[in-house]
Amino acid sequence: EAGVTQFPSHSVIEKGQTVTLRCDPISGHDNLYWYRRVMGKEIKFLLHFVKESKQDESGMPNNRFLAERTGGTYSTLKVQPAELEDSGVYFCASSQEIGSLETQYFGPGTRLLVL
Amino acid sequence: AQSVAQPEDQVNVAEGNPLTVKCTYSVSGNPYLFWYVQYPNRGLQFLLKYITGDNLVKGSYGFEAEFNKSQTSFHLKKPSALVSDSALYFCAVRDRGDYKLSFGAGTTVTVRA
């Protein structure tokens, strides 16, 4: 079974540019999460999808970040325009269902560097 | 609110020695606790979790963790470390009824041959 995949693995852009990150969850997983780790600090929650619906986007830093999950399959996270403080590692995770036994499985992350 | 503290940025041990990575947590209710590991150039891999029941949880690669409610701790342990255990370890907590994971800052483990 394929795990969570993310593309690209690395991205280097200049301040003010746009970047789109993609996440493909494990097949059959309705729940998809985005997290971010900035400058070696804690990994922080950004948002949660159930199928194509946003359940919780309380962790999104500001309106420069837009997440979508068309058709309830893969998800994209767009940063427009990017700022220096957006640099970090963006992780995607998926899980089959919400509940006491739920485990979130993570992808390899996208390393974003904004210059 | 929920939070996790990993008091050690780095842990260095010799191969064959016991390995302990410390984690303390804070939640308003009963916790679900997790350990993840990130090997170089790899994603976060799930190691083990505590949901309920036995306080000693066994996971992948010979790791185990002990839930201590009175000390609000969930330390990760391995009786005999391997060089291949060198990685970045994250402790995470989720309050029951919530789905967001809160992570610690991570602990870099280096096992020397």
Side-chain angles (χ1 to χ4, degrees), chain A:
Chain A
E1 177 184 272
V4 177
T5 58
Q6 293 186 245
F7 182 84
S9 59
H10 295 80
S11 180
V12 181
I13 61 173
E14 293 187 351
K15 176 182 173 181
Q17 290 185 323
T18 298
V19 63
T20 300
L21 314 180
R22 172 169 170 147
C23 168
D24 287 78
I26 294 172
S27 177
H29 282 194
D30 287 340
N31 294 281
L32 187 148
Y33 308 82
W34 283 98
Y35 290 83
R36 178 175 75 168
R37 186 177 191 228
V38 174
M39 290 295 292
K41 296 186 178 179
E42 298 88 351
I43 300 171
K44 289 193 178 292
F45 168 83
L46 295 178
L47 86 159
H48 170 216
F49 283 99
V50 176
K51 297 185 180 178
E52 68 275 9
S53 299
K54 291 178 188 175
Q55 289 294 111
D56 182 352
E57 51 185 334
S58 61
M60 296 285 263
N62 51 60
N63 58 11
R64 295 186 292 104
F65 289 75
L66 175 63
E68 295 179 324
R69 191 181 183 193
T70 306
T73 55
Y74 70 91
S75 174
T76 58
L77 179 64
K78 181 190 288 187
V79 185
Q80 180 182 27
E83 298 290 344
L84 300 180
E85 63 265 24
D86 300 332
S87 297
V89 181
Y90 290 77
F91 291 102
C92 176
S94 71
S95 68
Q96 194 163 24
E97 59 185 44
I98 295 176
S100 62
L101 300 181
E102 178 228 13
T103 296
Q104 295 178 24
Y105 295 94
F106 284 75
T110 293
R111 285 153 182 79
L112 175 64
L113 178 60
V114 182
L115 300 176

Side-chain angles (χ1 to χ4, degrees), chain B residues 4 9-10 12-13 17 23 28-29 32 42 50-51 53 60 85 87 91 93 99 105:
Chain B
V4 172
D9 292 336
Q10 291 198 353
N12 298 303
V13 298
N17 282 0
C23 170
S28 57
Y32 294 154
R42 303 285 296 277
Y50 170 81
I51 301 297
S60 307
D85 293 327
C91 181
V93 67
Y99 43 78

